Amino acid sequence: MSTFGIYLIGYIIFVAGVVWGLSLLGVPPVWLGVTGVVLAGLGILTGVGKTRRRDSNTE
Protein backbone atom coordinates (compact mmCIF):
# COMPACT_ATOMS: atom_id res chain seq x y z
CA MET A 1 0.00 0.00 0.00
CA SER A 2 1.28 3.45 -0.84
CA THR A 3 2.25 6.04 1.74
CA PHE A 4 -0.61 8.26 0.59
CA GLY A 5 -3.10 5.43 1.08
CA ILE A 6 -1.95 4.80 4.63
CA TYR A 7 -2.03 8.53 5.37
CA LEU A 8 -5.55 8.81 3.94
CA ILE A 9 -6.85 5.86 5.98
CA GLY A 10 -5.49 7.41 9.17
CA TYR A 11 -7.00 10.77 8.31
CA ILE A 12 -10.39 9.21 7.56
CA ILE A 13 -10.33 7.61 11.01
CA PHE A 14 -9.44 11.01 12.49
CA VAL A 15 -12.30 12.77 10.65
CA ALA A 16 -14.76 10.07 11.71
CA GLY A 17 -13.71 10.52 15.33
CA VAL A 18 -14.09 14.29 15.18
CA VAL A 19 -17.52 14.07 13.55
CA TRP A 20 -18.64 11.43 16.05
CA GLY A 21 -17.46 13.57 18.96
CA LEU A 22 -19.28 16.60 17.60
CA SER A 23 -22.46 14.55 17.20
CA LEU A 24 -22.22 13.50 20.85
CA LEU A 25 -22.00 17.19 21.76
CA GLY A 26 -25.27 17.84 19.93
CA VAL A 27 -23.95 19.72 16.91
CA PRO A 28 -26.60 19.92 14.13
CA PRO A 29 -26.14 17.40 11.27
CA VAL A 30 -25.57 20.10 8.64
CA TRP A 31 -22.48 21.28 10.54
CA LEU A 32 -21.28 17.71 10.92
CA GLY A 33 -21.34 17.42 7.14
CA VAL A 34 -19.57 20.73 6.65
CA THR A 35 -16.89 19.75 9.15
CA GLY A 36 -16.41 16.36 7.51
CA VAL A 37 -16.05 17.82 4.03
CA VAL A 38 -13.63 20.55 5.13
CA LEU A 39 -11.46 18.12 7.10
CA ALA A 40 -11.48 15.60 4.23
CA GLY A 41 -10.29 18.29 1.82
CA LEU A 42 -7.61 19.39 4.24
CA GLY A 43 -6.50 15.78 4.65
CA ILE A 44 -6.16 15.28 0.91
CA LEU A 45 -4.19 18.51 0.51
CA THR A 46 -1.78 17.71 3.33
CA GLY A 47 -1.47 14.08 2.24
CA VAL A 48 -0.48 15.04 -1.28
CA GLY A 49 1.96 17.61 0.05
CA LYS A 50 3.64 15.14 2.39
CA THR A 51 3.81 12.16 0.03
CA ARG A 52 4.48 13.86 -3.33
CA ARG A 53 7.85 13.12 -4.88
CA ARG A 54 9.93 16.14 -5.75
CA ASP A 55 10.96 16.81 -9.34
CA SER A 56 14.40 15.41 -10.07
CA ASN A 57 15.44 18.27 -12.34
CA THR A 58 15.31 21.33 -10.11
CA GLU A 59 17.12 24.03 -12.03
Side-chain angles (χ1 to χ4, degrees):
M1 181 171 264
S2 70
T3 305
F4 179 73
I6 295 170
Y7 185 89
L8 202 56
I9 289 171
Y11 209 85
I12 288 171
I13 293 170
F14 170 73
V15 170
V18 169
V19 170
W20 183 30
L22 290 174
S23 71
L24 293 176
L25 288 173
V27 175
V30 68
W31 289 110
L32 296 177
V34 168
T35 303
V37 168
V38 168
L39 286 177
L42 185 63
I44 291 171
L45 287 175
T46 57
V48 168
K50 289 182 182 287
T51 60
R52 182 181 53 156
R53 292 196 175 117
R54 303 291 180 228
D55 292 337
S56 60
N57 53 352
T58 54
E59 296 177 33

